[in-house]
Amino acid sequence: MRHRQLGTSDLQVSEISLGSWLTYSGGVEADATAACTRAAFDAGITFFDTANVYGRGAAEEAWGRILADYRREDYVLATKVYFPMSSTDRGLSPAQIHKQIDASLRRLATDHVDLYQCHRFDAETPIEDTMEALAEVVRAGKARYLGISEWTPDQIRAGLAACPDDVTIVSSQPQYSMLWRAPEAEVFPTTAEHGISNIVWSPMAEGVLTGKYKPGEPVPVDSRAASDEMNGFIRQKLTDRTLEAVQRLVPIAEGAGLSMAEMALAWVLRRPEVASAIVGASRPEQVHANAAAAGIELTADTLAAIDEALGDVPVTGQQLGPGASAEITHR
């Protein structure tokens, strides 16, 4: 497993990281969650990404129990804040930030997270209030560094301008894959300009880029798409046009001596703006298979073949991520 520096921080994160968005928030049983986490450590994965809203705290609680078996200094832990935790608890107001970081730390059974991320931009709260509250979290030792997820370039610049002198934003977490290339247009150039690394989510398009979903065929019964708890986002990707394009990638991966998953992960990691690719897993063997992508470098011929196979199917140009808005509020 190779590691990359996370922005201007002193954190070194594994190129492949384990996420808990759908799987460990209720879609996967506790024993499987523990097995996948142990497999991550065995494979050299040391970066773990979660959020308070995943299962309304369930994912954090699961890792709070499991990670207690490991030395705190042996892994990098990230969580997020923004989405509703109750009918009255949501957003990035100072009161919410302080309330939610304390609740997250209790569930995670730790005194600090390495990275505390704004899950989306809160247009209802002045950005100056948000960044000052986050700075207080860092000063209190509850988080070492700050990150964001699915902020527009203008929001990123506003957040940086509102940061007190002793803190800054070190990471951005956009969706990025062969099928969703929107960050290349403006987010990657903006983050590179300001020394911010990207931790990308859904690098395999929720498993679509593994090739296991075939056009005109029922989804596999043991897949994410067949699970009512986990198929909310993936269904829009399961069009024949997309699945036919993905099947054109199969001989390219075979010709490169790679699995489809390895090729998809190596494709996102080819970008210097990317520090880590977050993967989900419901079985330990998936963790090891994904970890094998670290260090793989795709040839120019392979990259060109991928582009030709996918044609105009990928989403390009600046796009708002799911649940994101472009608004900014100042004092």
Side-chain angles (χ1 to χ4, degrees):
M1 178 59 62
R2 297 200 308 191
H3 290 70
R4 299 185 184 186
Q5 183 175 348
L6 189 66
T8 56
S9 77
D10 63 358
L11 297 175
Q12 294 287 319
V13 295
S14 49
E15 287 188 340
I16 305 298
S17 43
L18 187 63
S20 62
W21 168 31
L22 295 171
T23 44
Y24 309 145
S25 59
V28 171
E29 297 298 326
D31 288 349
T33 300
C36 288
T37 307
R38 288 194 295 269
F41 279 100
D42 291 343
I45 293 172
T46 56
F47 184 24
F48 298 89
D49 178 83
T50 188
N52 61 348
V53 75
Y54 297 162
R56 291 283 178 91
E60 288 181 331
E61 288 175 351
W63 271 351
R65 292 188 296 270
I66 297 163
L67 293 174
D69 293 337
Y70 297 87
R71 296 193 312 167
R72 185 64 185 83
E73 60 268 30
D74 288 344
Y75 60 90
V76 175
L77 182 60
T79 193
K80 310 183 197 75
V81 58
Y82 169 77
F83 284 112
M85 291 297 287
S86 74
S87 60
T88 56
D89 290 309
R90 66 175 298 276
L92 300 177
S93 69
Q96 278 300 304
I97 286 171
H98 289 296
K99 179 178 182 178
Q100 297 304 329
I101 185 63
D102 288 345
S104 287
L105 293 179
R106 284 195 299 271
R107 289 189 291 264
L108 289 165
T110 186
D111 63 356
H112 75 282
V113 291
D114 298 287
L115 185 64
Y116 199 42
Q117 303 161 101
C118 299
H119 213 158
R120 294 295 185 272
F121 191 93
D122 182 2
E124 297 180 6
T125 300
I127 184 60
E128 295 83 2
D129 293 355
T130 292
M131 298 314 301
E132 287 176 7
L134 290 168
E136 290 168 358
V137 168
V138 173
R139 293 183 197 122
K142 297 176 182 180
R144 293 185 63 197
Y145 296 101
L146 303 176
I148 55 169
S149 179
E150 296 295 356
W151 284 21
T152 67
D154 284 345
Q155 290 169 342
I156 293 170
R157 286 186 283 267
L160 289 168
C163 281
D165 291 342
D166 55 339
V167 299
T168 192
I169 297 166
V170 302
S171 69
S172 168
Q173 189 175 133
Q175 178 181 189
Y176 184 53
S177 72
M178 290 182 191
L179 296 177
W180 184 273
R181 306 186 182 191
E184 294 179 353
E186 296 182 41
V187 170
F188 283 175
T190 301
T191 54
E193 178 185 353
H194 296 284
I196 296 171
S197 289
N198 290 273
I199 307 157
V200 300
W201 63 274
S202 204
M204 291 187 290
E206 296 181 73
V208 171
L209 286 167
T210 66
K212 66 182 176 183
Y213 300 107
K214 306 294 196 301
E217 295 183 13
V219 299
V221 295
D222 62 345
S223 69
R224 179 178 295 178
S227 168
D228 289 339
E229 289 104 353
M230 296 189 284
N231 68 5
F233 281 87
I234 194 174
R235 286 175 294 187
Q236 59 190 320
K237 300 182 178 78
L238 300 179
T239 66
D240 281 351
R241 181 170 178 265
T242 296
L243 298 182
E244 288 165 0
V246 171
Q247 288 304 307
R248 293 194 292 269
L249 296 175
V250 173
I252 299 172
E254 291 174 349
L258 302 172
S259 70
M260 287 282 282
E262 287 172 337
M263 188 169 75
L265 291 168
W267 188 90
V268 301
L269 289 170
R270 83 197 192 288
R271 297 286 304 216
E273 301 95 340
V274 175
S276 187
I278 302 171
V279 301
S282 56
R283 299 187 303 275
E285 55 267 29
Q286 292 175 326
V287 177
H288 286 284
N290 292 334
I296 292 175
E297 295 186 10
L298 302 179
T299 67
D301 288 345
T302 297
L303 292 172
I306 289 169
D307 287 343
E308 182 177 357
L310 293 178
D312 62 356
V313 169
V315 174
T316 59
Q318 179 62 31
Q319 303 279 337
L320 286 176
S325 73
E327 299 176 54
I328 301 172
T329 301
H330 293 280
R331 285 178 184 155

mmCIF file of all heavy atoms in Angstrom, residues 216-240:
data_model
loop_
_atom_site.group_PDB
_atom_site.id
_atom_site.type_symbol
_atom_site.label_atom_id
_atom_site.label_comp_id
_atom_site.label_asym_id
_atom_site.label_seq_id
_atom_site.Cartn_x
_atom_site.Cartn_y
_atom_site.Cartn_z
ATOM 1 N N GLY A 216 -29.512 -5.409 -19.871
ATOM 2 C CA GLY A 216 -30.587 -6.334 -20.193
ATOM 3 C C GLY A 216 -30.724 -7.513 -19.258
ATOM 4 O O GLY A 216 -31.576 -8.386 -19.482
ATOM 5 N N GLU A 217 -29.904 -7.564 -18.195
ATOM 6 C CA GLU A 217 -29.969 -8.679 -17.255
ATOM 7 C C GLU A 217 -30.377 -8.186 -15.870
ATOM 8 O O GLU A 217 -30.106 -7.033 -15.505
ATOM 9 C CB GLU A 217 -28.607 -9.379 -17.148
ATOM 10 C CG GLU A 217 -28.149 -10.053 -18.439
ATOM 11 C CD GLU A 217 -26.838 -10.797 -18.246
ATOM 12 O OE1 GLU A 217 -26.420 -10.990 -17.071
ATOM 13 O OE2 GLU A 217 -26.225 -11.186 -19.260
ATOM 14 N N PRO A 218 -31.027 -9.046 -15.068
ATOM 15 C CA PRO A 218 -31.359 -8.668 -13.692
ATOM 16 C C PRO A 218 -30.079 -8.415 -12.891
ATOM 17 O O PRO A 218 -29.024 -8.999 -13.179
ATOM 18 C CB PRO A 218 -32.116 -9.887 -13.153
ATOM 19 C CG PRO A 218 -32.506 -10.680 -14.352
ATOM 20 C CD PRO A 218 -31.479 -10.405 -15.394
ATOM 21 N N VAL A 219 -30.168 -7.528 -11.897
ATOM 22 C CA VAL A 219 -28.992 -7.278 -11.064
ATOM 23 C C VAL A 219 -28.716 -8.509 -10.210
ATOM 24 O O VAL A 219 -29.652 -9.234 -9.822
ATOM 25 C CB VAL A 219 -29.189 -6.031 -10.171
ATOM 26 C CG1 VAL A 219 -29.414 -4.800 -11.029
ATOM 27 C CG2 VAL A 219 -30.348 -6.227 -9.195
ATOM 28 N N PRO A 220 -27.448 -8.800 -9.904
ATOM 29 C CA PRO A 220 -27.141 -9.947 -9.041
ATOM 30 C C PRO A 220 -27.839 -9.820 -7.690
ATOM 31 O O PRO A 220 -27.900 -8.734 -7.111
ATOM 32 C CB PRO A 220 -25.618 -9.872 -8.902
ATOM 33 C CG PRO A 220 -25.149 -9.115 -10.108
ATOM 34 C CD PRO A 220 -26.232 -8.121 -10.394
ATOM 35 N N VAL A 221 -28.352 -10.931 -7.184
ATOM 36 C CA VAL A 221 -29.145 -10.892 -5.949
ATOM 37 C C VAL A 221 -28.317 -10.467 -4.741
ATOM 38 O O VAL A 221 -28.855 -9.965 -3.756
ATOM 39 C CB VAL A 221 -29.808 -12.257 -5.677
ATOM 40 C CG1 VAL A 221 -30.824 -12.564 -6.769
ATOM 41 C CG2 VAL A 221 -28.765 -13.372 -5.588
ATOM 42 N N ASP A 222 -27.005 -10.666 -4.792
ATOM 43 C CA ASP A 222 -26.153 -10.314 -3.648
ATOM 44 C C ASP A 222 -25.469 -8.961 -3.834
ATOM 45 O O ASP A 222 -24.533 -8.623 -3.107
ATOM 46 C CB ASP A 222 -25.087 -11.390 -3.416
ATOM 47 C CG ASP A 222 -24.145 -11.555 -4.607
ATOM 48 O OD1 ASP A 222 -24.476 -11.060 -5.702
ATOM 49 O OD2 ASP A 222 -23.084 -12.193 -4.431
ATOM 50 N N SER A 223 -25.950 -8.151 -4.785
ATOM 51 C CA SER A 223 -25.288 -6.884 -5.094
ATOM 52 C C SER A 223 -25.942 -5.728 -4.349
ATOM 53 O O SER A 223 -27.063 -5.841 -3.832
ATOM 54 C CB SER A 223 -25.339 -6.608 -6.594
ATOM 55 O OG SER A 223 -26.669 -6.328 -6.997
ATOM 56 N N ARG A 224 -25.243 -4.588 -4.342
ATOM 57 C CA ARG A 224 -25.774 -3.371 -3.732
ATOM 58 C C ARG A 224 -27.070 -2.941 -4.418
ATOM 59 O O ARG A 224 -27.998 -2.469 -3.766
ATOM 60 C CB ARG A 224 -24.721 -2.262 -3.831
ATOM 61 C CG ARG A 224 -25.148 -0.936 -3.260
ATOM 62 C CD ARG A 224 -24.027 0.080 -3.371
ATOM 63 N NE ARG A 224 -22.890 -0.289 -2.554
ATOM 64 C CZ ARG A 224 -21.751 0.420 -2.506
ATOM 65 N NH1 ARG A 224 -21.626 1.511 -3.239
ATOM 66 N NH2 ARG A 224 -20.756 0.033 -1.744
ATOM 67 N N ALA A 225 -27.135 -3.102 -5.715
ATOM 68 C CA ALA A 225 -28.321 -2.670 -6.460
ATOM 69 C C ALA A 225 -29.567 -3.459 -6.079
ATOM 70 O O ALA A 225 -30.686 -2.988 -6.265
ATOM 71 C CB ALA A 225 -28.070 -2.799 -7.956
ATOM 72 N N ALA A 226 -29.383 -4.665 -5.531
ATOM 73 C CA ALA A 226 -30.520 -5.486 -5.138
ATOM 74 C C ALA A 226 -30.969 -5.205 -3.712
ATOM 75 O O ALA A 226 -31.980 -5.753 -3.264
ATOM 76 C CB ALA A 226 -30.163 -6.967 -5.285
ATOM 77 N N SER A 227 -30.222 -4.359 -3.016
ATOM 78 C CA SER A 227 -30.530 -4.068 -1.613
ATOM 79 C C SER A 227 -31.329 -2.780 -1.485
ATOM 80 O O SER A 227 -30.889 -1.728 -1.942
ATOM 81 C CB SER A 227 -29.231 -3.949 -0.801
ATOM 82 O OG SER A 227 -29.477 -3.405 0.472
ATOM 83 N N ASP A 228 -32.505 -2.862 -0.865
ATOM 84 C CA ASP A 228 -33.315 -1.667 -0.677
ATOM 85 C C ASP A 228 -32.607 -0.635 0.192
ATOM 86 O O ASP A 228 -32.844 0.565 0.073
ATOM 87 C CB ASP A 228 -34.661 -2.029 -0.030
ATOM 88 C CG ASP A 228 -35.569 -2.781 -0.988
ATOM 89 O OD1 ASP A 228 -35.348 -2.670 -2.219
ATOM 90 O OD2 ASP A 228 -36.475 -3.490 -0.528
ATOM 91 N N GLU A 229 -31.722 -1.093 1.095
ATOM 92 C CA GLU A 229 -31.006 -0.165 1.973
ATOM 93 C C GLU A 229 -29.889 0.578 1.251
ATOM 94 O O GLU A 229 -29.465 1.645 1.688
ATOM 95 C CB GLU A 229 -30.391 -0.910 3.183
ATOM 96 C CG GLU A 229 -31.425 -1.395 4.185
ATOM 97 C CD GLU A 229 -31.642 -2.888 4.062
ATOM 98 O OE1 GLU A 229 -31.093 -3.486 3.114
ATOM 99 O OE2 GLU A 229 -32.358 -3.445 4.898
ATOM 100 N N MET A 230 -29.404 0.028 0.134
ATOM 101 C CA MET A 230 -28.189 0.574 -0.462
ATOM 102 C C MET A 230 -28.320 0.982 -1.928
ATOM 103 O O MET A 230 -27.334 1.396 -2.531
ATOM 104 C CB MET A 230 -27.045 -0.446 -0.336
ATOM 105 C CG MET A 230 -26.643 -0.746 1.092
ATOM 106 S SD MET A 230 -25.127 -1.746 1.215
ATOM 107 C CE MET A 230 -25.715 -3.374 0.780
ATOM 108 N N ASN A 231 -29.507 0.887 -2.530
ATOM 109 C CA ASN A 231 -29.580 1.110 -3.977
ATOM 110 C C ASN A 231 -30.168 2.455 -4.382
ATOM 111 O O ASN A 231 -30.529 2.664 -5.539
ATOM 112 C CB ASN A 231 -30.353 -0.025 -4.649
ATOM 113 C CG ASN A 231 -31.836 -0.028 -4.285
ATOM 114 O OD1 ASN A 231 -32.328 0.870 -3.594
ATOM 115 N ND2 ASN A 231 -32.546 -1.054 -4.735
ATOM 116 N N GLY A 232 -30.254 3.389 -3.436
ATOM 117 C CA GLY A 232 -30.873 4.674 -3.746
ATOM 118 C C GLY A 232 -30.174 5.457 -4.838
ATOM 119 O O GLY A 232 -30.819 6.097 -5.671
ATOM 120 N N PHE A 233 -28.837 5.427 -4.864
ATOM 121 C CA PHE A 233 -28.081 6.208 -5.831
ATOM 122 C C PHE A 233 -27.742 5.415 -7.087
ATOM 123 O O PHE A 233 -27.656 5.971 -8.177
ATOM 124 C CB PHE A 233 -26.771 6.711 -5.206
ATOM 125 C CG PHE A 233 -26.938 7.917 -4.322
ATOM 126 C CD1 PHE A 233 -27.248 7.767 -2.979
ATOM 127 C CD2 PHE A 233 -26.805 9.202 -4.832
ATOM 128 C CE1 PHE A 233 -27.411 8.876 -2.162
ATOM 129 C CE2 PHE A 233 -26.962 10.313 -4.021
ATOM 130 C CZ PHE A 233 -27.271 10.138 -2.685
ATOM 131 N N ILE A 234 -27.539 4.127 -6.933
ATOM 132 C CA ILE A 234 -26.995 3.348 -8.040
ATOM 133 C C ILE A 234 -27.997 3.144 -9.167
ATOM 134 O O ILE A 234 -27.618 2.972 -10.332
ATOM 135 C CB ILE A 234 -26.476 1.977 -7.530
ATOM 136 C CG1 ILE A 234 -25.609 1.307 -8.599
ATOM 137 C CG2 ILE A 234 -27.630 1.071 -7.110
ATOM 138 C CD1 ILE A 234 -24.952 0.033 -8.138
ATOM 139 N N ARG A 235 -29.282 3.209 -8.856
ATOM 140 C CA ARG A 235 -30.280 2.876 -9.872
ATOM 141 C C ARG A 235 -30.184 3.765 -11.108
ATOM 142 O O ARG A 235 -30.391 3.302 -12.234
ATOM 143 C CB ARG A 235 -31.689 2.969 -9.263
ATOM 144 C CG ARG A 235 -32.012 1.809 -8.330
ATOM 145 C CD ARG A 235 -33.354 1.994 -7.664
ATOM 146 N NE ARG A 235 -33.351 3.137 -6.754
ATOM 147 C CZ ARG A 235 -34.363 3.437 -5.950
ATOM 148 N NH1 ARG A 235 -35.453 2.696 -5.946
ATOM 149 N NH2 ARG A 235 -34.293 4.480 -5.149
ATOM 150 N N GLN A 236 -29.837 5.044 -10.909
ATOM 151 C CA GLN A 236 -29.754 5.954 -12.051
ATOM 152 C C GLN A 236 -28.572 5.643 -12.960
ATOM 153 O O GLN A 236 -28.514 6.126 -14.099
ATOM 154 C CB GLN A 236 -29.664 7.386 -11.540
ATOM 155 C CG GLN A 236 -28.468 7.654 -10.649
ATOM 156 C CD GLN A 236 -28.551 8.999 -9.966
ATOM 157 O OE1 GLN A 236 -28.958 9.974 -10.578
ATOM 158 N NE2 GLN A 236 -28.175 9.065 -8.700
ATOM 159 N N LYS A 237 -27.622 4.845 -12.468
ATOM 160 C CA LYS A 237 -26.470 4.476 -13.288
ATOM 161 C C LYS A 237 -26.722 3.210 -14.106
ATOM 162 O O LYS A 237 -25.916 2.861 -14.972
ATOM 163 C CB LYS A 237 -25.238 4.261 -12.410
ATOM 164 C CG LYS A 237 -24.801 5.461 -11.594
ATOM 165 C CD LYS A 237 -23.548 5.139 -10.802
ATOM 166 C CE LYS A 237 -23.045 6.335 -10.005
ATOM 167 N NZ LYS A 237 -23.826 6.542 -8.772
ATOM 168 N N LEU A 238 -27.801 2.497 -13.815
ATOM 169 C CA LEU A 238 -28.014 1.188 -14.430
ATOM 170 C C LEU A 238 -28.822 1.283 -15.729
ATOM 171 O O LEU A 238 -29.761 0.522 -15.954
ATOM 172 C CB LEU A 238 -28.705 0.256 -13.431
ATOM 173 C CG LEU A 238 -27.937 0.001 -12.129
ATOM 174 C CD1 LEU A 238 -28.712 -0.917 -11.210
ATOM 175 C CD2 LEU A 238 -26.555 -0.582 -12.427
ATOM 176 N N THR A 239 -28.437 2.185 -16.598
ATOM 177 C CA THR A 239 -29.069 2.286 -17.910
ATOM 178 C C THR A 239 -28.304 1.408 -18.890
ATOM 179 O O THR A 239 -27.088 1.169 -18.724
ATOM 180 C CB THR A 239 -29.056 3.730 -18.409
ATOM 181 O OG1 THR A 239 -27.696 4.142 -18.642
ATOM 182 C CG2 THR A 239 -29.701 4.669 -17.392
ATOM 183 N N ASP A 240 -28.986 0.919 -19.890
ATOM 184 C CA ASP A 240 -28.311 0.073 -20.874
ATOM 185 C C ASP A 240 -27.148 0.813 -21.530
ATOM 186 O O ASP A 240 -26.094 0.229 -21.805
ATOM 187 C CB ASP A 240 -29.302 -0.394 -21.939
ATOM 188 C CG ASP A 240 -30.176 -1.552 -21.452
ATOM 189 O OD1 ASP A 240 -29.882 -2.097 -20.362
ATOM 190 O OD2 ASP A 240 -31.152 -1.890 -22.153
#
